[in-house]
Amino acid sequence: MPKAQETAVYTHGHHESVLRSHTWRTAANSAAYLLGSLKPHMRILDIGCGPGTITADLAELVPDGHVTGVDAAPGVLEQARAAASARGLTNVDFAVADVHALDHPDDTFCVVHAHQVLQHVGDPVQALREMHRVTKPGGLIAVRDADYATMTWYPAVPGLDGWLDLYERVARANGGEPDAGRRLKAWARAAGLRDVTATATAWTFATPEERAWWSGLWADRTLASSYAERATQGGHATSEQLQAVSEAWREWGRQEDGWFAVLHGEILCRKEG
């Protein structure tokens, strides 16, 4: 029987404006719901690790264990390796992988973690089955994902509603589900996971520095990333419309009362046995 394979296209790509966001992520700001469960000896698989900042943090938290970071994009793994090396970490390695068909035996890892991954895959239920398969009995599957429809901001700058509608159309055309956060528990149950704890947390951007950073990376991403290419090539927006969305982001970033919240759903599942 042939292995399942990825059918979705990663919406963002790895433009600098995307990595600007991804390299900001830490275990503390993106995996806090998991950290209290970690033990120094654990072996962890970090799926969709990107530039490896969360991966490296996890490696520091399991000094007697080991962390393997995997991603579908070989190029970004070079950045992850460099980041881990710069931090002097010796208990971490990286490899190319497809979450739908992982190259690991059953019952290998104490923890299998994925942050903002399932929104981008073609079959999140199959992905969770694979994550469950490679987790040891008694181990944990930990997943956190954004939910775009619940993102909220103030003030209501004209153009940002259009950004959200456009982004969701592009992401779904690419085969993903941008409102993944609310679906994690249902996907886990469909995958056969039963001991599931569901929670939610948010990133908030409100200081002048946070507003400038968040609005700037989205303004740039709207014009220069793979998302921009897929928006225009897929017939979802013209270059002029993308320019207007980019300016709307910069306008919001200039608002002294500006506030933006990014809600994430989270699930922590213990494998029976």
Side-chain angles (χ1 to χ4, degrees):
M1 184 175 180
K3 285 187 174 182
Q5 293 183 339
E6 181 60 86
T7 58
V9 175
Y10 180 45
T11 295
H12 298 289
H14 295 93
H15 184 264
E16 181 278 329
S17 60
V18 178
L19 294 177
R20 202 183 311 165
S21 171
H22 290 183
T23 54
W24 165 82
R25 298 173 185 176
T26 65
N29 67 30
S30 300
Y33 71 105
L34 167 64
L35 302 188
S37 300
L38 298 183
K39 307 296 182 186
H41 68 277
M42 283 181 161
R43 186 176 182 187
I44 300 174
L45 178 64
D46 187 22
I47 293 172
C49 66
T53 51
I54 297 175
T55 320
D57 284 352
L58 294 174
E60 288 186 341
L61 292 168
V62 292
D64 302 322
H66 190 89
V67 181
T68 296
V70 298
D71 201 281
V76 76
L77 293 177
E78 291 306 313
Q79 184 170 341
R81 292 185 182 99
S85 177
R87 291 169 66 165
L89 296 169
T90 59
N91 64 333
V92 59
D93 70 296
F94 297 92
V96 176
D98 180 349
V99 67
H100 298 87
L102 295 168
D103 293 325
H104 298 284
D106 296 357
D107 307 338
T108 298
F109 298 96
C110 305
V111 176
V112 178
H113 168 264
H115 183 269
Q116 287 203 9
V117 173
L118 295 192
Q119 64 175 292
H120 298 296
V121 307
D123 190 343
V125 173
Q126 171 60 21
L128 282 161
R129 288 193 189 105
E130 275 292 275
M131 294 171 70
H132 180 266
R133 179 184 66 78
V134 302
T135 302
K136 293 180 178 180
L140 294 170
I141 300 98
V143 182
R144 185 175 191 255
D145 227 305
D147 194 296
Y148 274 74
T150 62
M151 292 187 187
T152 188
W153 57 87
Y154 183 86
V157 172
L160 285 192
D161 285 340
W163 158 76
L164 182 56
D165 174 71
L166 173 63
Y167 180 83
E168 293 215 318
R169 284 189 283 114
V170 172
R172 291 192 173 110
N174 287 339
E177 175 45 69
D179 300 341
R182 70 188 66 188
R183 292 173 165 82
L184 294 180
K185 182 180 178 181
W187 287 342
R189 288 176 54 78
L193 283 63
R194 290 292 173 260
D195 186 356
V196 181
T197 300
T199 54
T201 54
W203 294 335
T204 305
F205 306 103
T207 68
E209 295 77 16
E210 290 166 347
R211 290 197 310 272
W213 180 79
W214 185 243
S215 63
L217 69 85
W218 269 106
D220 292 344
R221 189 181 303 190
T222 299
L223 296 179
S225 68
S226 296
Y227 158 65
E229 295 175 11
R230 287 164 188 141
T232 53
Q233 293 175 5
H236 305 288
T238 64
S239 297
E240 291 76 17
Q241 288 170 325
L242 290 182
Q243 185 66 52
V245 169
S246 178
E247 179 49 39
W249 270 109
R250 296 197 185 279
E251 176 62 23
W252 174 82
R254 291 190 286 267
Q255 303 301 309
E256 292 185 0
D257 296 326
W259 176 93
F260 200 108
V262 181
L263 185 70
H264 292 77
E266 303 158 342
I267 54 170
L268 198 59
C269 315
R270 189 169 297 279
K271 183 172 180 177
E272 297 175 356

